[in-house]
């Protein structure tokens, strides 16, 4: 895609690739993801890194058949929102034949079919 | 504080007109509205205009002054961008502008050119209403986001694809006689269920079409309407707007739309009415599940209870709570920047008895318009009433 770098986001994705997923937590217990200067809930600037658990629960998912041009060769693929406690993450679910809500998955980083870019991927834990 | 009246309305056909530019379409819509208002063009003091994807579709930003020029209006002109709620947001700000007495006559409208992008291009252009880092990079599409909400809804409250199909069937039936609508074709539940999948559980017939079109209204203060003896029987008596976190994953609810709940509560309080006073509503049904979430958020149904409303015949034209008598975005079409104002036009004509489906609500005096942006990270709600 573009040449732009996203400070905070790229570093975060790299951490997930290394199995060290994290999120931010403010003093009031709200979770958020980088890049972030303040808690989006309460505006507090004191954000601490917290390790995320090794696995989360799929809250909702969909299999996309009509994709944007950037994902057209990936289709069909499954997008899921996964609850890791402090935060929910959105990524693609792979390695499941009949995906359904409630299953446990772990987060990792894999390649996107269409562009070869990094992609946040969930696989069964 | 003065009241706000709708003095004139105008819109283009909604449909597939890839050769028409936004400026061409807005010229037609604004001409219609100004003629209908019966006022001199020079009386209009300001333009608020909604548009979402002008940069992508036409390499054209800064459309406010461009559209004022096209409409022959001199003065301040501002474009509002709030994804699919762009012209709803323009209406809201115009209402506030007239109420606070700064402006007596406003032109408010919107336009969107989409079909020239093709399905892939329009899918990409619409997707940017989502969070680029956390949603688009995961392969999220606009239908995909609503499919995530639909499955979250089924998981939490129950319901089926067949329930959703009844929403599409109902809205197509309402658009049958509407010559301005993009899809004037009856469909069956079986056809909806058998249509190619877009993002499961949503298929092609669960989604609104990609559309071109424009809409415009002239808003005036009560005093201006009286002084100039304008025929302006419908007033906008309530206005509300709500917001939520950009990414679906960051929301408190995946199967509810609190931004719309906040917007409608604000609009009801503003108008001094409640949900039970509303006789007819146009809600943002970009997908079948969106109508279900909308009728729950505006207080017609408790969360989890709106899913069967169409199937049970409650929101159909002959039901107790008719919703989207225009055909909705689903059948009428959804040129995103034009939609919010178009919904206002539909409700206004339903209240004056000039709508092709007015017979379904012969005594209607109060109407509601719900216009949502993105996956309801922004929403405007307006209450329209026949002025007493």
């Amino acid at each position: 895609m573009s040449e732009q770098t996203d400070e905070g986001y790229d570093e975060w994705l790299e951490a997930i690739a290394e199995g060290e997923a994290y999120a931010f937590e403010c003093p009031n217990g709200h979770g958020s993801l980088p890049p972030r200067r303040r808690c989006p809930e309460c505006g507090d600037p004191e954000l601490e890194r917290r390790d995320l658990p090794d696995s989360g629960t799929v809250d909702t998912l969909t299999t996309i058949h009509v994709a944007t041009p950037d994902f057209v060769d990936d289709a069909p693929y499954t997008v899921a929102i996964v609850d890791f406690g402090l935060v929910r993450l959105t990524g693609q679910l792979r390695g499941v034949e009949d995906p359904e809500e409630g299953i446990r998955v772990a987060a990792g980083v894999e390649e996107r079919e269409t562009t070869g870019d990094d992609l946040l991927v969930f696989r069964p834990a | 504080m003065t009241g706000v009246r709708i003095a004139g309305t105008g819109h283009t056909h909604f449909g597939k007109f890839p050769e028409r530019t936004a400026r061409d379409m807005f010229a037609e819509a604004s001409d219609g509205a100004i003629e209908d208002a019966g006022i001199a063009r020079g009386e209009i003091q300001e333009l608020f205009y909604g548009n979402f994807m002008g940069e992508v579709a036409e390499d054209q930003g800064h459309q406010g002054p461009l559209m004022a020029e096209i409409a022959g209006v001199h003065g301040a002109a501002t474009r509002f961008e709030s994804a699919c709620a762009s012209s709803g947001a323009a209406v809201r700000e115009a209402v506030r502008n007239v109420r606070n007495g700064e402006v007596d006559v406003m032109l408010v409208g919107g336009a969107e050119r989409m079909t020239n992008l093709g399905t892939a291009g329009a899918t990409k252009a619409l997707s940017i209403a989502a969070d680029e880092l956390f949603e688009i990079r995961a392969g999220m599409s606009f239908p995909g986001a609503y499919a995530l909400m639909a499955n979250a809804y089924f998981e939490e409250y129950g319901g089926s694809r067949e329930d959703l199909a009844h929403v599409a069937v109902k809205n197509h039936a309402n658009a049958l006689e509407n010559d301005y609508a993009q899809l004037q074709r009856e469909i069956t539940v079986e056809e909806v269920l058998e249509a190619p999948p877009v993002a499961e559980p949503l298929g092609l017939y669960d989604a609104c079409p990609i559309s071109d079109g424009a809409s415009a209204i002239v808003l005036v203060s009560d005093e201006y309407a009286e002084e100039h003896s304008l025929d302006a029987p419908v007033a906008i008596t309530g206005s509300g707007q709500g917001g939520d976190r950009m990414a679906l994953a960051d929301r408190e609810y995946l199967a509810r739309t609190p931004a719309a709940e906040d917007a409608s509560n604000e609009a009801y309080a503003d108008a001094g009415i409640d949900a039970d006073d509303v006789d007819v509503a146009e809600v943002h049904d970009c997908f079948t599940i969106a109508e279900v979430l909308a009728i729950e958020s505006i207080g017609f149904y408790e969360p989890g209870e709106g899913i069967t409303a169409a199937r049970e015949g409650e929101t159909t034209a002959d039901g107790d709570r008719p919703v989207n008598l225009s055909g909705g975005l689903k059948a009428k079409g959804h040129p995103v920047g034009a939609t919010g104002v178009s919904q206002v036009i539909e409700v206004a004509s339903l209240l004056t008895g000039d709508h092709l489906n007015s017979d379904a609500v012969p005594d209607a005096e109060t109407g509601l318009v719900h216009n949502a942006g993105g996956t309801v990270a922004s929403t405007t709600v307006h209450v329209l009433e026949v002025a007493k």
Side-chain angles (χ1 to χ4, degrees):
Chain A
M1 244 177 85
S2 63
E3 295 297 309
Q4 74 185 24
T5 60
D6 289 286
E7 210 184 330
Y9 176 83
D10 291 344
E11 186 187 22
W12 176 76
L13 205 61
E14 213 168 283
I16 291 177
E18 286 162 10
E20 294 166 1
Y22 63 87
F24 293 134
E25 186 177 14
C26 79
N28 298 312
H30 302 130
S32 60
L33 298 173
R36 197 71 71 185
R37 289 185 182 211
R38 290 179 179 276
C39 170
E41 283 302 315
C42 60
D44 199 296
E46 299 296 322
L47 302 177
E48 297 278 345
R49 271 194 195 197
R50 299 274 184 256
D51 292 340
L52 289 181
D54 293 336
S55 67
T57 309
V58 172
D59 269 351
T60 184
L61 52 82
T62 177
T63 299
I64 292 181
H65 295 265
V66 180
T68 64
D70 288 339
F71 284 91
V72 81
D73 291 335
D74 297 57
Y77 54 89
T78 300
V79 171
I81 292 179
V82 178
D83 189 346
F84 283 85
L86 188 57
V87 290
R88 289 195 190 107
L89 305 184
T90 307
Q92 287 190 15
L93 182 58
R94 290 179 175 174
V96 190
E97 213 156 285
D98 291 308
E100 56 181 5
E101 287 85 1
I103 60 170
R104 300 289 295 181
V105 296
V109 175
E110 297 180 20
E111 256 186 25
R112 194 189 295 176
E113 193 79 29
T114 308
T115 61
D117 287 345
D118 285 343
L119 178 72
L120 178 61
V121 168
F122 305 119
R123 284 186 180 272
Chain B
M1 195 172 69
T2 182
V4 182
R5 302 284 191 90
I6 299 170
T9 67
H11 51 89
T12 65
H13 287 87
F14 283 3
K16 227 175 160 174
F17 312 112
E19 74 289 351
R20 293 195 75 177
T21 58
R23 64 174 99 192
D24 173 40
M25 293 187 286
F26 192 69
E28 182 186 332
S30 57
D31 267 1
I34 296 167
E35 255 171 58
D36 186 37
I39 59 170
R41 211 162 280 263
E43 294 286 288
I44 295 168
Q45 295 160 284
E46 196 164 350
L47 167 67
F48 283 176
Y49 168 85
N51 173 262
F52 173 51
M53 57 175 73
E55 289 85 351
V56 179
E58 300 190 273
D59 288 328
Q60 184 66 66
H62 203 191
Q63 292 196 9
L66 179 71
M67 295 307 171
E69 189 182 304
I70 282 302
V73 170
H74 298 278
T78 307
R79 166 181 161 186
F80 287 78
E81 191 277 293
S82 207
C84 307
S86 292
S87 59
V91 170
R92 173 165 166 77
E93 295 312 314
V95 165
R96 300 213 275 202
N97 230 15
V98 173
R99 278 181 174 180
N100 71 22
E102 283 183 40
V103 175
D104 277 317
V105 188
M106 291 229 32
L107 181 62
V108 189
E112 207 73 60
R113 185 183 191 189
M114 300 172 72
T115 67
N116 63 317
L117 293 168
T119 301
T123 302
K124 183 178 167 99
L126 286 166
S127 76
I128 65 176
D131 184 317
E132 199 275 324
L133 284 182
F134 293 102
E135 296 186 308
I136 296 177
R137 289 190 193 193
M140 189 94 105
S141 62
F142 195 43
Y146 273 92
L148 289 171
M149 295 167 91
N151 278 328
Y153 188 101
F154 290 164
E155 183 74 9
E156 184 150 358
Y157 301 117
S160 66
R161 282 198 65 207
E162 202 171 329
D163 293 326
L164 293 179
H166 280 272
V167 176
V169 169
K170 164 180 82 73
N171 291 350
H172 271 253
N174 288 342
L176 267 184
E177 308 289 323
N178 183 356
D179 287 337
Y180 281 87
Q182 185 163 356
L183 305 173
Q184 282 182 270
R185 191 169 76 78
E186 206 161 3
I187 56 169
T188 63
V189 168
E190 289 68 35
E191 281 178 285
V192 181
L193 294 176
E194 284 162 16
V198 173
E200 296 174 34
L202 306 178
L204 192 61
Y205 287 0
D206 286 284
C208 65
I210 293 163
S211 319
D212 305 301
S215 58
I217 53 178
V218 175
L219 294 184
V220 298
S221 62
D222 277 347
E223 291 75 14
Y224 187 92
E226 278 155 32
E227 275 166 26
H228 295 78
S229 305
L230 297 183
D231 177 27
V234 178
I236 300 183
T237 57
S239 178
Q241 185 165 352
D244 205 341
R245 297 284 293 281
M246 181 73 164
L248 203 47
D250 292 334
R251 309 252 178 93
E252 189 178 353
Y253 301 101
L254 297 174
R256 278 174 69 173
T257 55
E261 292 169 22
D262 292 346
S264 55
N265 287 336
E266 189 182 357
Y268 287 141
D270 191 23
I273 65 160
D274 59 39
D276 286 338
D277 296 318
V278 176
D279 299 310
V280 64
E282 289 285 314
V283 304
H284 199 95
D285 61 325
C286 48
F287 299 95
T288 47
I289 184 66
E291 178 167 308
V292 175
L293 296 170
I295 59 177
E296 293 178 1
S297 68
I298 61 175
F300 282 14
Y301 292 89
E302 290 296 313
E305 291 178 5
I307 185 78
T308 53
R311 183 183 199 147
E312 306 279 335
E314 293 160 7
T315 48
T316 50
D318 54 1
D320 288 342
R321 281 197 178 278
V323 170
N324 286 331
L325 285 172
S326 69
L329 286 49
K330 173 70 193 82
K332 192 179 69 170
H334 182 29
V336 292
T339 289
V341 165
S342 170
Q343 293 174 304
V344 170
I345 295 172
E346 298 289 351
V347 169
S349 62
L350 282 160
L351 295 182
T352 53
D354 299 323
H355 195 277
L356 65 102
N357 283 330
S358 281
D359 288 351
V361 283
D363 304 318
E365 289 183 345
T366 305
L368 178 139
V369 174
H370 158 284
N371 184 205
T375 45
V376 202
S378 53
T379 313
T380 61
V381 170
H382 287 96
V383 173
L384 275 58
E385 294 183 75
V386 178
K388 303 276 189 308

